[in-house]
Amino acid sequence: GQNIDQPTEMTATEGAIVQINCTYQTSGFNGLFWYQQHAGEAPTFLSYNVLDGLEEKGRFSSFLSRSKGYSYLLLKELQMKDSASYLCAVANAGKSTFGDGTTLTVKP
Amino acid sequence: DTAVSQTPKYLVTQMGNDKSIKCEQNLGHDTMYWYKQDSKKFLKIMFSYNNKELIINETVPNRFSPKSPDKAHLNLHINSLELGDSAVYFCASSLSTGSYNEQFFGPGTRLTVL
């Protein structure tokens, strides 16, 4: 079976740093994606981790620990436009299973 | 040019009707998907096609029938619509079936069944 957990909601202040966690228990694992979805829009790709460690891409970084079934998305220097849902997705056998998403609200 | 496009963007219909949603991608990808996102924002895969062949069917009611006339198109036909079918339906594509391939999503079709 597949079980992917993320916090439902988070709030942070503009300019701050926020970490969105994702834990998973899945029957198979080929990698982990993070997607961003603004309200009323389609999800867009942020990052992909297949090996343990931190992948940095500008203000966004993603971390993976396969042994712990754990990933996080780190957003630095938060901007108002970062208010969105962040979806963690586990890839296995050509299929991505999505978590329920974390709705991040950035306040001034 | 839009990479993954869907029509219509909004669809409002009565229970019991039959409707179709169309999807096209111009990225040259081999693999296409249909997802359903309900009011709680849970994004769940329904189907996946690779080069016109069905490869994933996630226990979706057989009222839902996908059709892929070619690898650039994946349409979704829904028979006998029910209230619970109300959701946003996203089409997506990826280069191939490899798990490492990011997916590109269409803008979504908001289906409301009355």
Side-chain angles (χ1 to χ4, degrees):
Chain A
Q2 313 278 68
N3 189 33
I4 301 170
D5 288 316
Q6 305 178 234
T8 304
E9 294 179 334
M10 296 183 73
T11 302
T13 306
E14 195 177 11
I17 298 172
V18 71
Q19 177 174 313
I20 302 174
N21 295 325
C22 171
T23 58
Y24 61 90
Q25 293 171 313
T26 55
S27 52
F29 180 88
N30 291 141
L32 188 141
F33 289 94
W34 283 96
Y35 286 83
Q36 180 190 58
Q37 185 177 23
H38 284 101
E41 297 182 12
T44 55
F45 169 81
L46 287 178
S47 67
Y48 176 68
N49 292 71
V50 62
L51 299 175
D52 289 353
L54 188 68
E55 296 271 347
E56 296 187 71
K57 195 187 287 188
R59 293 190 300 115
F60 292 5
S61 303
S62 56
F63 171 84
L64 176 67
S65 169
R66 289 171 296 172
S67 61
K68 295 181 180 177
Y70 168 67
S71 173
Y72 66 73
L73 182 69
L74 192 71
L75 293 78
K76 301 177 186 175
E77 300 168 18
L78 279 172
Q79 301 175 8
M80 299 299 290
K81 67 177 182 180
D82 297 331
S83 292
S85 286
Y86 291 86
L87 308 172
C88 160
V90 172
N92 179 44
K95 183 175 83 169
S96 288
T97 301
F98 285 80
D100 290 355
T102 299
T103 299
L104 173 67
T105 302
V106 180
K107 296 188 172 178
Chain B
D1 269 349
T2 304
V4 183
S5 59
Q6 295 178 228
T7 54
K9 189 166 175 61
Y10 298 97
L11 186 53
V12 181
T13 188
Q14 299 286 334
M15 249 173 39
N17 284 349
D18 303 338
K19 290 293 178 186
S20 291
I21 307 172
K22 296 187 175 183
C23 177
E24 177 182 0
Q25 54 94 3
N26 62 7
L27 297 167
H29 288 170
D30 283 345
T31 310
M32 296 184 73
Y33 311 81
W34 276 111
Y35 286 88
K36 178 181 180 181
Q37 189 169 46
D38 60 24
S39 58
K40 293 183 179 178
K41 308 299 182 189
F42 179 43
L43 191 66
K44 184 172 171 57
I45 189 165
M46 301 172 69
F47 301 103
S48 173
Y49 272 69
N50 185 63
N51 231 334
K52 305 191 298 178
E53 298 295 325
L54 178 68
I55 54 171
I56 294 174
N57 181 341
E58 287 290 298
T59 59
V60 177
N62 57 16
R63 296 184 296 106
F64 290 79
S65 51
K67 282 191 173 54
S68 182
D70 55 63
K71 72 174 192 175
H73 295 84
L74 180 60
N75 304 323
L76 184 65
H77 187 76
I78 315 170
N79 290 326
S80 304
L81 278 156
E82 300 177 357
L83 293 177
D85 297 333
S86 294
V88 180
Y89 291 84
F90 285 102
C91 175
S93 74
S94 64
L95 190 61
S96 69
T97 56
S99 291
Y100 48 84
N101 288 310
E102 66 183 272
Q103 294 181 24
F104 294 79
F105 285 81
T109 296
R110 183 173 293 278
L111 171 65
T112 304
V113 182
L114 303 174

